[in-house]
Amino acid sequence: VSTQSTGVALAMVRLILLVALVSAVALAEPSKPVQPLPRSLRCRACSLVVTEVMESLDRTATEAKEGKDSSILVGGRMQANARNPRKREYYGSEVMAMEVLEPVCDNLRGEGKALLEAAARDAGKASDEITIASKDKRDAGRSLESYCNGLLEEYEEEIKDKMFEKAPQTPLPRWLCVETTGTCKPEMFQQIHQDL
């Protein structure tokens, strides 16, 4: 086999790969920016976020009771008393709070359909009349995830404090969605929580 025919074959392979790459880039759909969640859906979205936070808190607390040590090590090797490591209670710690809040918004991304269906029912549609396109479900899920990230980022410290409150005066959903953010009017909040 001559080096000239090998060179021609190599050039042909490169040309084919280049054409395939250009075609793939040309056909690829550019990703759309995430649209903000419409105001009409934010009260129900806030309730979904808080419900997910509470479920995540229950899961994390159960895992802590069943498998993990109920305390965590704090400090490091640089301490003078490194042989006697310090421990801190896991429940109510910053570590636990982060483990509770971290998965919340990712878990809600798939809830776009539920959010849109609930909004359609609120508008008076019967369940058998509701059809939602998969693109709309996906877009609503992305918007819900973005809304969740913004809400948790803005109120993270307050939510952490409220999650571990010993005797809360106000339940977490009402506190966040009605009293703190003002996202829900009390009547709408009451209606949503009858549905849940």
Side-chain angles (χ1 to χ4, degrees):
V1 177
S2 72
T3 54
Q4 187 177 23
S5 63
T6 304
V8 170
L10 191 56
M12 289 297 287
V13 168
R14 286 182 183 158
L15 180 63
I16 291 171
L17 288 174
L18 181 63
V19 168
L21 179 64
V22 169
S23 298
V25 169
L27 295 176
E29 188 178 316
S31 64
K32 288 178 21 180
V34 176
Q35 295 298 312
L37 198 63
R39 284 193 188 279
S40 61
L41 299 177
R42 289 182 187 173
C43 180
R44 191 166 289 277
C46 184
S47 293
L48 285 172
V49 170
V50 175
T51 299
E52 186 62 34
V53 167
M54 293 182 334
E55 289 173 3
S56 182
L57 177 61
D58 288 344
R59 277 190 306 270
T60 305
T62 301
E63 289 170 6
K65 288 176 188 169
E66 290 176 358
K68 284 187 177 179
D69 186 2
S70 64
S71 58
I72 55 173
L73 288 174
V74 294
R77 293 186 301 186
M78 300 303 285
Q79 291 176 248
N81 63 347
R83 291 187 185 144
N84 302 321
R86 296 182 301 158
K87 288 190 172 190
R88 180 162 185 242
E89 186 68 29
Y90 175 71
Y91 191 86
S93 69
E94 180 76 16
V95 173
M96 183 178 180
M98 293 311 297
E99 287 180 0
V100 167
L101 295 178
E102 191 173 299
V104 168
C105 297
D106 289 340
N107 292 347
L108 286 177
R109 187 173 199 163
E111 296 297 319
K113 177 183 177 187
L115 182 64
L116 293 176
E117 286 174 346
R121 283 193 305 275
D122 290 345
K125 285 194 173 184
S127 293
D128 59 340
E129 296 175 342
I130 301 171
T131 55
I132 300 168
S134 61
K135 179 189 177 306
D136 293 337
K137 291 181 228 177
R138 187 175 51 250
D139 289 348
R142 290 177 63 207
S143 294
L144 177 59
E145 181 184 27
S146 176
Y147 173 79
C148 175
N149 284 322
L151 188 66
L152 291 185
E153 184 177 325
E154 187 169 343
Y155 297 100
E156 182 176 0
E157 293 305 317
E158 294 92 336
I159 292 170
K160 288 176 188 176
D161 292 342
K162 191 72 175 171
M163 278 191 313
F164 301 122
E165 215 173 64
K166 297 281 188 224
Q169 298 293 324
T170 308
L172 185 60
R174 176 174 282 286
W175 171 81
L176 183 64
C177 299
V178 178
E179 295 176 8
T180 303
T181 64
T183 304
C184 295
K185 302 279 185 249
E187 309 81 41
M188 180 65 171
F189 178 82
Q190 195 66 31
Q191 177 187 353
I192 288 171
H193 282 273
Q194 287 175 353
D195 293 350
L196 295 178

